Amino acid sequence: MLESPSLLMLPSLPASHPFSPLVASGKWLRVDGDKWNLHGVSYGPFRPREDGASFPAPERLAADFQQIRRLGFNTVRLYDLPTEDVLEGAEAEGLRLLVGIPWTDHVDFMHDGALRQQIEQTITDAARRFRDVPCVAGFLVGNEIEKNLARWMEPGRVRRFLEGLIEIGRREAPAKLFSYATYPSTEYLVPSNVDFLAVNLYLEHPAALESYLQRLQNLAGDKPLVITEFGLDVAAHGEQAQAETRAWFHRLCHRNAVAGTVWFSFTDEWFRGGDDITRWSFGLVTTDRQERAACHLDLSPGPLVDNPPRISVVVCTWNGGATLADCLSSLQKLRYPNFEVLLIDDGSTQDIAAIAHRFPSVLYVRQDHAGLSVARNRGASLATGEIVAYTDDDCIADEDWLTHLATGFDDPQWVAAGGPNIPPRPRNRTEAVVAAAPGAPAHVLLNDIEAEHLPGCNLAIRKRALEAIGGFQAQYVAAGDDVDVCWRLQQAGGKLRFVPGAMVWHHRRYSIQAYFRQQAGYGRAEALLMKDHPERFGALGGARWIGGIYGDRAVAPPLDEGSIYHGPQGEGLFQGIYRQGLRCWLDWTGGVIWVALVLGALVAQCPSTAAVVIALSWLQAAYRQRLLTHPPFSLGTSESLLLLGLCWIQPVVREWKRLVGMVQLGARPAGSHANPPPNPVVRRPSKVSIPLLELCFWNEVGVGRTQWLDAMRRHLAQKNIPIREDQGWRLFDLEAVPHHIISPAFLTVTEYHGERQRLTRIKLLMRIQWRLIFGVTALLGLVGLLAHPHPLLADLATLSILGLSTFIWALRQRFKRMILDAAKLIGLEVKS
């Protein structure tokens, strides 16, 4: 087991609880139901003491924590497990601790099963030890796995391992928060089961930070965003620049709904890699604890909007009495100075008026039942605000919903704005499954800021812009009205803005039957939309979105080759996920297609074919379930199977209603898109990589992968072997004879082992075109069918396989020799 002195020597502490639990709630952190901003500073790591603890002496530590509290911080981020002195000091000063659990993350841990077990045991022991310590708010199960190492180990495997560490920790300490601290060079390493998105970030310009915060909010999805490191080097920029940077950093984080920040660092005293770090000075205080100018700032959050516009909140209801009172109650708690609430009763048979009368400030208006669009237009006509904000009767508004919405209208180009709609914690198991199921209202983004579609449950529109397009169209009686109005606003030249902080809680359906009724209604609405916007739909009836769909899509899609821009040879500073189109050929077996194929096979009396199609449709459903956003609550085995069933049936219900509506309305998709989406940045790879061998090389004078790649380029050039360099999308560095059906490629990584010691790993890959794999598979299948009547075919197939194997073996030996020759030229020593 990996041993930590502080973990082994720390005695048990009494289970007192002076701190209320910190919880993640939508886009925010909360304590006892109230929003709580994590205002933290990093502490350490320090030169180890004689007892092995990586913290200052007890007297110094106590004085440091007093100073940290006096400077206004409420949280301390640690990079080592806390000692008894740390815990006592934190509890004495009322400071919460965000504990990093250190483990061996600078080597290829995915290659070593024993090391992975040690890491898992380290997480287990740390979570178990501190689970009842009240000042420990949460854990970071890792910190900044180096970008090339993550690329080498394959990003998908690394992410799954981190997800496993979080599950291990959560089993031991279920009341604590868990995350992994990533950074821009590996922003794709976001475990789907984190409680909050933790990012270490250093940007020196306000505009760059604000833009990147918007991207990070979209990566965070429905979870809080916490910046777990941000700072400025005084040695390079000066003390005044540090103070100015800290001021605009906090201002922009407040404006962009960041739930917490950690300033790096408290002191210049910093020990890493066996040495005291003296060339950088990131501390708010010097090594001898003299305070810099950045300590003496007024960081109290100012108003998000200087001149708040009047906003009219419109709630439309039709027999929504079960949730309406909670909705109206939340609107009474809005912290916004200039708004009104209008409740439009669309001819309900329930006594909605009785509920409305419990809220005297709400203007209640009843109309004959005419549908959602008519009700929304009625609300807009009565609104006295310049902005009309719509939400549904099954939504609960965050107390700062309107405040953040108002920031979305700081420029006249924005005619509408909206934020995320997040399911609250379910009240029963069925509701939990429905909340995790596909088909929920989702926003569609053209980029990190501009939206193509905003759901009507969280949609604010300038009143004059809504009037200019004639309001909502009456034929949309239950759904589709928000899509139609967003498209028409854009056609009129307006832009839609996504505001991550403007969140509402949105109840999903309470039963399976209600869920399918909702999906059927969406299908019918899609047919209506096709009638009005045929250019927006494809040949099979699906909507042609230009942007990416967020909400019921995965926050963390599969990290296969071609999905991530790593930069040439994996050296990009900002390495992000780029969403593409169809991810799996099984997508073609979803919806009504598989039903039609099964019926056709049964009519043709081919039950085996029908069985194969059904099996493929279940595989497609399982793949779709895997891509769903990870729910903020656990599902048991029976609930997971039910969710799989919903993923299987939901496309059928929705598509069938759409097809029926198309026939009834005479709706047909147009032949071409009026605004076709841009060409994808990168195509999926046409080859698959198979590892042939891996070699390791040691060097103690700083020679690593960069020098080896240069030597290999020269070596291949001398032999007139053409090469292709990775341009940032592939999981190799160099590929030889790239235009051949079978080609060798090389992937490298260098591990840093202190001072100038380097371990360089080099992997030889065989890249084979998919068409060859499919062709060989089909040929072998055909040979298998014909082998009995024609045994000569089996012999020929065996000889072909032997010939191919001999070719691959020869290829391996040839390029192994090249790897060794290039390594010898630059002084790399083979390590067994």
Side-chain angles (χ1 to χ4, degrees):
M1 182 181 73
L2 293 176
E3 296 185 349
S4 168
S6 58
L7 178 63
L8 297 178
M9 298 172 63
L10 185 61
S12 298
L13 293 175
S16 58
H17 294 279
F19 296 86
S20 296
L22 181 65
V23 299
S25 177
K27 299 295 294 181
W28 311 101
L29 299 171
R30 292 183 181 268
V31 174
D32 293 332
D34 296 324
K35 283 185 181 177
W36 188 84
N37 182 263
L38 188 155
H39 184 45
V41 66
S42 67
Y43 192 67
F46 299 95
R47 177 179 287 276
R49 305 185 313 218
E50 291 184 0
D51 61 1
S54 298
F55 293 99
E59 298 79 10
R60 166 58 70 188
L61 192 149
D64 284 349
F65 276 23
Q66 290 175 8
Q67 190 173 16
I68 287 172
R69 190 57 171 169
R70 183 169 53 80
L71 292 175
F73 294 101
N74 57 28
T75 304
V76 176
R77 179 185 174 183
L78 305 177
Y79 298 90
D80 289 289
L81 298 179
T83 61
E84 182 179 8
D85 300 331
V86 173
L87 296 178
E88 289 178 349
E91 294 211 9
E93 298 301 325
L95 294 168
R96 296 179 187 266
L97 299 177
L98 183 59
V99 177
I101 305 177
W103 46 272
T104 311
D105 59 1
H106 66 287
V107 303
D108 182 4
F109 52 84
M110 296 304 299
H111 184 74
D112 188 338
L115 178 57
R116 290 199 303 276
Q117 290 181 356
Q118 289 179 338
I119 295 168
E120 291 169 352
Q121 189 62 49
T122 298
I123 301 296
T124 300
D125 292 343
R128 182 180 298 163
R129 170 63 191 87
F130 299 108
R131 65 186 172 193
D132 295 324
V133 178
C135 65
V136 174
F139 299 93
L140 298 174
V141 300
N143 183 70
E144 289 191 20
I145 296 173
E146 198 272 328
K147 58 181 183 295
N148 269 307
L149 187 60
R151 176 173 174 256
W152 166 270
M153 294 185 293
E154 298 180 15
R157 296 178 64 215
V158 176
R159 189 177 69 186
R160 288 191 293 274
F161 179 69
L162 294 173
E163 290 170 346
L165 295 184
I166 289 174
E167 288 303 317
I168 289 172
R170 190 170 282 138
R171 284 198 298 269
E172 298 296 333
K176 304 298 183 183
L177 300 180
F178 283 86
S179 190
Y180 161 79
T182 190
Y183 70 126
S185 294
T186 58
E187 70 172 30
Y188 50 84
L189 283 186
V190 180
S192 63
N193 56 348
V194 294
D195 291 307
F196 60 92
L197 174 61
V199 182
N200 300 338
L201 177 64
Y202 296 86
L203 288 173
E204 299 173 3
H205 301 287
L209 174 66
E210 185 156 32
S211 176
Y212 197 61
L213 286 178
Q214 189 82 21
R215 176 171 179 81
L216 291 178
Q217 286 286 15
N218 292 329
L219 288 176
D222 294 347
K223 298 174 182 178
L225 169 62
V226 177
I227 305 301
T228 42
E229 278 185 17
F230 190 94
L232 192 74
D233 180 18
V234 173
H237 300 278
E239 185 174 333
Q240 185 59 33
Q242 184 195 47
E244 294 172 355
T245 299
R246 189 175 180 221
W248 58 251
F249 167 68
H250 281 278
R251 184 176 65 252
L252 292 179
C253 287
H254 175 57
R255 175 179 173 83
N256 288 276
V258 175
T261 60
V262 175
W263 185 264
F264 184 88
S265 62
F266 169 64
T267 173
D268 288 342
E269 187 179 349
W270 186 15
F271 183 84
R272 185 176 181 181
D275 295 305
D276 291 307
I277 306 300
T278 58
R279 62 184 183 275
W280 293 324
S281 300
F282 280 86
L284 292 173
V285 302
T286 62
T287 300
D288 59 359
R289 288 4 182 216
Q290 296 299 309
E291 296 178 0
R292 294 193 167 105
C295 291
H296 308 293
L297 301 172
D298 181 7
L299 298 178
S300 57
L304 288 178
V305 184
D306 292 329
N307 298 302
R310 182 164 177 77
I311 300 179
S312 298
V313 179
V314 175
V315 180
C316 302
T317 187
W318 182 67
N319 292 333
T323 56
L324 180 59
D326 289 340
C327 173
L328 296 179
S329 178
S330 73
L331 296 177
Q332 305 303 298
K333 301 172 185 175
L334 290 172
R335 297 189 292 210
Y336 189 77
N338 191 9
F339 75 100
E340 63 177 347
V341 179
L342 297 88
L343 174 61
I344 311 300
D345 181 358
D346 184 32
S348 298
T349 57
Q350 299 174 347
D351 191 0
I352 299 299
I355 299 175
H357 289 161
R358 291 156 52 187
F359 303 92
S361 62
V362 174
L363 175 62
Y364 171 71
V365 177
R366 178 181 171 86
Q367 67 178 27
D368 293 336
H369 183 52
L372 180 58
S373 288
V374 173
R376 284 185 166 166
N377 286 336
R378 182 73 178 275
S381 68
L382 297 172
T384 62
E386 59 185 276
I387 295 171
V388 183
Y390 292 98
T391 191
D392 289 348
D393 57 14
D394 56 354
C395 289
I396 299 173
D398 178 80
E399 56 263 48
D400 296 310
W401 173 51
L402 292 187
T403 304
H404 284 280
L405 269 182
T407 67
F409 294 94
D410 59 358
D411 190 302
Q413 68 173 327
W414 304 112
V415 300
N421 69 97
I422 303 173
R425 182 162 291 278
R427 294 173 292 184
N428 55 62
R429 306 311 300 172
T430 300
E431 188 179 343
V433 174
V434 172
H443 48 281
V444 181
L445 300 185
L446 296 169
N447 52 52
D448 291 324
I449 299 176
E450 185 179 356
E452 183 180 4
H453 166 62
L454 296 167
C457 58
N458 189 355
L459 173 63
I461 309 173
R462 294 187 191 272
K463 185 176 179 179
R464 66 174 183 271
L466 183 59
E467 292 172 343
I469 63 170
F472 292 86
Q473 299 198 78
Q475 63 266 33
Y476 298 97
V477 296
D481 57 302
D482 49 0
V483 179
D484 170 74
V485 81
C486 287
W487 283 345
R488 288 191 292 122
L489 286 169
Q490 292 168 87
Q491 289 168 358
K495 291 186 175 182
L496 284 57
R497 186 171 185 175
F498 180 68
V499 185
M503 64 157 281
V504 299
W505 297 105
H506 186 198
H507 286 286
R508 304 314 191 220
R509 296 303 184 261
Y510 301 117
S511 67
I512 301 300
Q513 294 84 354
Y515 169 72
F516 282 127
R517 285 197 300 270
Q518 177 197 49
Q519 297 305 308
Y522 286 166
R524 170 73 179 180
E526 287 171 346
L528 287 168
L529 287 166
M530 188 185 300
K531 182 72 172 178
D532 293 336
H533 305 274
E535 75 284 354
R536 293 276 188 169
F537 288 82
L540 296 178
R544 287 170 164 168
W545 297 109
I546 300 174
I549 300 174
Y550 292 75
D552 69 340
R553 293 290 187 177
V555 173
L559 304 182
D560 50 7
E561 185 177 18
S563 296
I564 304 169
Y565 180 72
H566 296 278
Q569 275 77 53
E571 294 292 345
L573 294 178
F574 289 80
Q575 301 185 13
I577 302 170
Y578 287 75
R579 295 174 183 267
Q580 301 180 46
L582 194 68
R583 303 295 306 179
C584 177
W585 61 271
L586 284 170
D587 284 355
W588 294 108
T589 66
V592 297
I593 293 179
W594 72 261
V595 178
L597 291 174
V598 168
L599 292 176
L602 293 177
V603 169
Q605 297 183 346
C606 297
S608 58
T609 302
V612 169
V613 172
I614 292 174
L616 290 176
S617 70
W618 276 105
L619 283 175
Q620 191 273 342
Y623 181 79
R624 193 177 187 209
Q625 181 182 14
R626 178 170 169 255
L627 294 185
L628 290 174
T629 302
H630 190 88
F633 39 80
S634 61
L635 297 178
T637 302
S638 59
E639 288 88 9
S640 296
L641 291 175
L642 179 57
L643 178 59
L644 176 62
L646 296 186
C647 291
W648 187 55
I649 295 296
Q650 181 262 350
V652 178
V653 172
R654 190 160 174 168
E655 290 180 20
W656 175 251
K657 284 296 184 179
R658 184 176 66 216
L659 290 173
V660 170
M662 289 169 60
V663 173
Q664 293 174 342
L665 299 170
R668 297 290 184 273
S672 61
H673 200 301
N675 297 295
N679 292 327
V681 177
V682 62
R683 295 181 181 275
R684 288 177 60 81
S686 60
K687 293 182 178 180
V688 61
S689 295
I690 300 174
L692 293 182
L693 66 89
E694 179 181 329
L695 298 172
C696 297
F697 300 91
W698 183 256
N699 186 271
E700 298 185 357
V701 294
V703 178
R705 66 186 293 261
T706 302
Q707 293 80 5
W708 182 86
L709 287 170
D710 289 339
M712 193 63 180
R713 290 186 189 97
R714 294 192 300 269
H715 200 63
L716 292 170
Q718 291 172 359
K719 297 181 177 296
N720 295 319
I721 298 176
I723 63 171
R724 176 170 71 137
E725 303 264 359
D726 166 47
Q727 296 302 311
W729 297 98
R730 303 301 176 216
L731 294 182
F732 64 79
D733 297 317
L734 295 175
E735 181 181 13
V737 290
H739 300 297
H740 289 192
I741 294 178
I742 299 178
S743 56
F746 310 95
L747 178 63
T748 65
V749 69
T750 293
E751 298 174 2
Y752 299 87
H753 291 262
E755 297 180 345
R756 295 177 61 81
Q757 299 177 102
R758 307 285 189 267
L759 177 69
T760 298
R761 300 178 185 270
I762 301 173
K763 190 178 295 183
L764 175 63
L765 307 169
M766 179 179 65
R767 292 180 59 80
I768 306 176
Q769 287 191 1
W770 281 106
R771 61 182 181 180
L772 177 62
I773 295 176
F774 290 144
V776 170
T777 302
L779 181 61
L780 291 176
L782 180 62
V783 168
L785 292 174
L786 300 178
H788 181 70
H790 303 284
L792 181 61
L793 288 176
D795 295 337
L796 290 174
T798 301
L799 290 174
S800 299
I801 293 173
L802 288 174
L804 181 61
S805 301
T806 302
F807 171 77
I808 293 173
W809 179 85
L811 189 74
R812 177 184 183 276
Q813 294 303 107
R814 180 188 181 192
F815 282 93
K816 177 182 178 181
R817 174 49 52 193
M818 289 185 182
I819 292 172
L820 294 170
D821 289 345
K824 185 177 181 180
L825 286 174
I826 58 174
L828 291 181
E829 177 185 346
V830 178
K831 184 177 178 66
S832 58

